[in-house]
Amino acid sequence: MAAWSSPPSLRHLLLLRPRLPLSPTCLGGSFSRRHIHSRCRLFSSAASSSTLTHGDAASTNGDADGVVDVNPPRGTRDFPPEDMRLRTWLFDQFREVSRLMAFEEVDFPVLESEALFIRKAGEEITQQLYNFEDKGGRRVVLRPEITPSLARLVIKQGKSVSLPLKWFTIGQCWRYERMTRGRRREHYQWNMDIFGVPKVRAEAELLNAIVLLFQHLGITSSDVGIRVSSRKVLQAVLNMYSIPEHLFTEVCVIVDKLGKMTREEIEKELISTGLSSEAVQGIIDVLSLKSLSKLEEVVGSDVEAVADLKKLFSFAEQYGYADWICFDASVVRGLAYYTGIVFEAFDREGKLRAICGGGRYDRLLSTFGSEDIPACGFGFGDAVIVELLKEKGLLPDMSRQIDDIVFPLDEELEGPASSIAASLRKKGRSVDLVEDKRLKWVFKHAERINASRLILVGNSEWERGMVRVKILSTREEFEVKAGELE
């Protein structure tokens, strides 16, 4: 590579040519090693900043010169250490709530058969698939959601498991869609599902889990609410207007856009399906209801949806989360397989998209050629909840924290220092073994990583079998026998 006659731009430092070493000689004599290190720090900062909303820059495989864009593909994220700590913390909250609810963890491949996700409804999700043909000629897809994978595993397990099943998973999902705040083309999702419970008790348990998570995160019912309705409400309205059964799913997909499109646009789409103006008006009027008693007046008290919802709201009182939930007939959820109660959590200020959502899907398994089992579940993504925690100032301190730094003051003490580090690690302490640095750098490093102790291995102390320990929070300093370090 030719030497530069002027300082390199940030673009040159970001777009590294493969297989060519970055060295002082290739950058020209006017660039010191210190200058290069400064540029590298700039690269690190630029690449890792705002990672939780990263992916706005377009990504390419490379240009004619072999230049590689170091940004991840548009809509995806890297997780440098500080962001990985946040992700791990959030996943730990998901797992703790699942444990409290007595759910078992399962997992599935991110790569699934395309047939698992291609359904009859013309759902928006089928237009957002990352799908392709693999080298064996099989049509595969990066899963856009988790429930079909879960259903596949339930079918595969068959009679080897006893009902009810209470399973949860935390997995990555992919959708090629327009990006907005809290929405990317990949995200991680916490799913909780119950198979084998036909009664509303299952939905009540799932809502309990969602509220429990919010409470663990410090979110209150004044911050977040959960809208609840039932697919059977819409079914009752369609029956009132003698609308054919085969139009039900298509109508669900359209009315799920209420709040995202204008009323006029919704009406136009519904009429395009063949519905009369009177039926369209009736559907929208019912889906505008926010009161369960008003719904009962319109569709009657003998409608199954009304009985289910009354039972659920009764359970909510008993569980103690009645102030979190509200009836909203417009909630239908966009996926074809829902059959009964549906729900979604929202921030009360209306700044964010749905935080999570789910419902009952009693007839999903038969779409895969198996016998149906009553089921319900929800999906809870990682992106929107992080945005909400930021809004409320509830994100925890994600600073790095280390128990001990072990530092040999002389090169010949590197062996004893290694022995001390290994011993402390066996006792469960996190230890950073540092060598070849100045003591001033070690103290600054200890501050950066929030180390609790600094253990100095020096010649005079080691000759007596001792090491020097410094408690960094109090600056207390003392000697202790190396074998007695705890």
Side-chain angles (χ1 to χ4, degrees):
M1 182 186 295
W4 287 321
S5 58
S6 60
S9 68
L10 178 59
R11 171 174 170 77
H12 283 95
L13 286 163
L14 289 176
L15 304 179
L16 305 178
R17 294 180 183 272
R19 296 184 297 277
L20 289 177
L22 185 64
S23 67
T25 54
C26 77
L27 293 177
S30 62
F31 285 85
S32 67
R33 187 177 300 275
R34 186 176 182 181
H35 189 119
I36 297 167
H37 287 168
S38 173
R39 290 284 187 166
C40 288
R41 285 195 297 272
L42 179 60
F43 159 72
S44 177
S45 173
S48 63
S49 63
S50 303
T51 306
L52 283 171
T53 55
H54 193 44
D56 289 337
S59 177
T60 60
N61 291 329
D63 61 19
D65 295 329
V67 175
V68 175
D69 188 343
V70 297
N71 289 310
R74 182 172 172 81
T76 67
R77 298 166 287 177
D78 292 320
F79 287 90
E82 60 272 21
D83 293 334
M84 197 65 197
R85 287 194 290 272
L86 175 58
R87 192 180 97 179
T88 299
W89 170 81
L90 181 61
F91 289 7
D92 286 346
Q93 307 307 307
F94 293 158
R95 287 192 168 93
E96 174 60 10
V97 169
S98 301
R99 183 191 68 82
L100 293 172
M101 299 296 299
F103 277 59
E104 294 183 285
E105 187 166 8
V106 293
D107 199 9
F108 331 93
V110 174
L111 189 69
E112 287 277 16
S113 167
E114 183 184 63
L116 203 59
F117 297 92
I118 301 295
R119 292 181 293 274
K120 60 185 179 183
E123 302 163 13
E124 185 180 34
I125 196 172
T126 62
Q127 309 303 313
Q128 300 170 345
L129 297 178
Y130 278 90
N131 50 348
F132 54 95
E133 187 175 288
D134 70 9
K135 294 181 179 180
R138 293 169 289 265
R139 294 295 304 175
V140 292
V141 61
L142 295 177
R143 66 180 178 214
E145 54 153 334
I146 290 175
T147 305
S149 296
L150 177 70
R152 178 183 59 72
L153 182 59
V154 170
I155 295 169
K156 179 184 174 184
Q157 295 292 95
K159 298 188 184 301
S160 66
V161 292
S162 60
L163 300 177
L165 299 176
K166 296 169 69 176
W167 286 354
F168 82 95
T169 190
I170 303 168
Q172 193 178 35
C173 300
W174 294 79
R175 295 186 188 184
Y176 192 87
E177 59 183 340
R178 186 176 64 86
M179 292 178 295
T180 59
R181 184 183 180 191
R183 173 177 288 189
R184 304 182 190 84
R185 290 174 178 166
E186 58 81 22
H187 69 279
Y188 285 86
Q189 185 167 298
W190 171 45
N191 269 51
M192 293 184 76
D193 294 83
I194 300 174
F195 280 80
V197 179
K199 297 181 179 179
V200 177
R201 170 68 72 181
E203 287 91 329
E205 282 279 280
L206 293 174
L207 291 173
N208 187 197
I210 293 170
V211 170
L212 194 56
L213 177 80
F214 286 140
Q215 291 170 334
H216 275 218
L217 298 178
I219 294 168
T220 68
S221 58
S222 61
D223 300 320
V224 164
I226 304 173
R227 299 186 183 101
V228 179
S229 187
S230 173
R231 279 285 182 91
K232 295 173 184 176
V233 170
L234 184 57
Q235 185 65 68
V237 178
L238 297 188
N239 291 342
M240 287 168 56
Y241 291 96
S242 302
I243 295 170
E245 177 74 24
H246 72 271
L247 287 178
F248 176 71
T249 305
E250 189 174 356
V251 171
C252 284
V253 172
I254 295 170
V255 298
D256 184 54
K257 300 172 186 175
L258 282 168
K260 306 167 191 171
M261 297 169 57
T262 65
R263 177 171 177 143
E264 291 73 22
E265 289 171 325
I266 297 292
E267 289 177 352
K268 185 177 179 181
E269 284 202 25
L270 288 172
I271 288 173
S272 71
T273 67
L275 271 61
S276 67
S277 297
E278 181 187 10
V280 169
Q281 188 66 44
I283 290 169
I284 293 179
D285 286 347
V286 170
L287 294 183
S288 300
L289 296 175
K290 310 294 182 187
S291 164
L292 192 50
S293 59
K294 289 286 181 64
L295 175 70
E296 189 173 1
E297 289 176 13
V298 174
V299 301
S301 59
D302 58 339
V303 171
E304 193 175 2
V306 174
D308 287 346
L309 289 164
K310 281 185 172 181
K311 186 66 173 175
L312 181 61
F313 278 85
S314 174
F315 277 138
E317 292 284 353
Q318 295 161 6
Y319 277 92
Y321 58 74
D323 56 330
W324 289 81
I325 70 171
C326 59
F327 172 71
D328 185 339
S330 68
V331 177
V332 295
R333 305 294 294 163
L335 296 174
Y337 50 69
Y338 288 119
T339 57
I341 284 177
V342 286
F343 51 85
E344 61 185 27
F346 65 99
D347 75 294
R348 294 193 186 274
E349 292 184 4
K351 294 181 179 179
L352 303 168
R353 60 189 291 263
I355 302 167
C356 68
R360 179 162 289 277
Y361 51 94
D362 286 347
R363 297 192 291 272
L364 178 60
L365 269 59
S366 62
T367 65
F368 303 137
S370 182
E371 183 180 344
D372 278 322
I373 299 174
C376 60
F378 68 78
F380 195 121
D382 68 328
V384 179
I385 189 61
V386 167
E387 291 295 327
L388 180 63
L389 291 172
K390 285 180 184 176
E391 285 278 339
K392 303 299 178 183
L394 294 172
L395 282 178
D397 180 11
M398 288 288 111
S399 300
R400 187 180 179 190
Q401 293 182 326
I402 298 295
D403 292 328
D404 300 318
I405 292 177
V406 175
F407 179 59
L409 294 172
D410 293 291
E411 186 176 346
E412 61 267 23
L413 294 172
E414 290 177 358
S418 301
S419 177
I420 290 168
S423 175
L424 289 170
R425 287 165 180 160
K426 285 179 182 178
K427 294 173 181 176
R429 296 186 66 82
S430 57
V431 180
D432 188 11
L433 178 58
V434 178
E435 297 176 347
D436 301 325
K437 294 291 183 181
R438 294 180 182 275
L439 190 56
K440 182 179 179 181
W441 183 95
V442 174
F443 277 109
K444 287 184 177 179
H445 178 60
E447 287 183 15
R448 282 195 299 270
I449 66 174
N450 294 304
S452 299
R453 299 189 304 187
L454 175 59
I455 298 168
L456 300 172
V457 186
N459 275 313
S460 60
E461 293 88 356
W462 189 250
E463 287 173 358
R464 293 179 282 113
M466 310 286 281
V467 293
R468 181 162 291 277
V469 177
K470 189 175 186 68
I471 307 299
L472 295 169
S473 59
T474 63
R475 301 298 178 185
E476 180 186 3
E477 196 170 329
F478 54 87
E479 289 184 0
V480 63
K481 289 183 179 180
E484 295 178 3
L485 271 172
E486 295 291 340

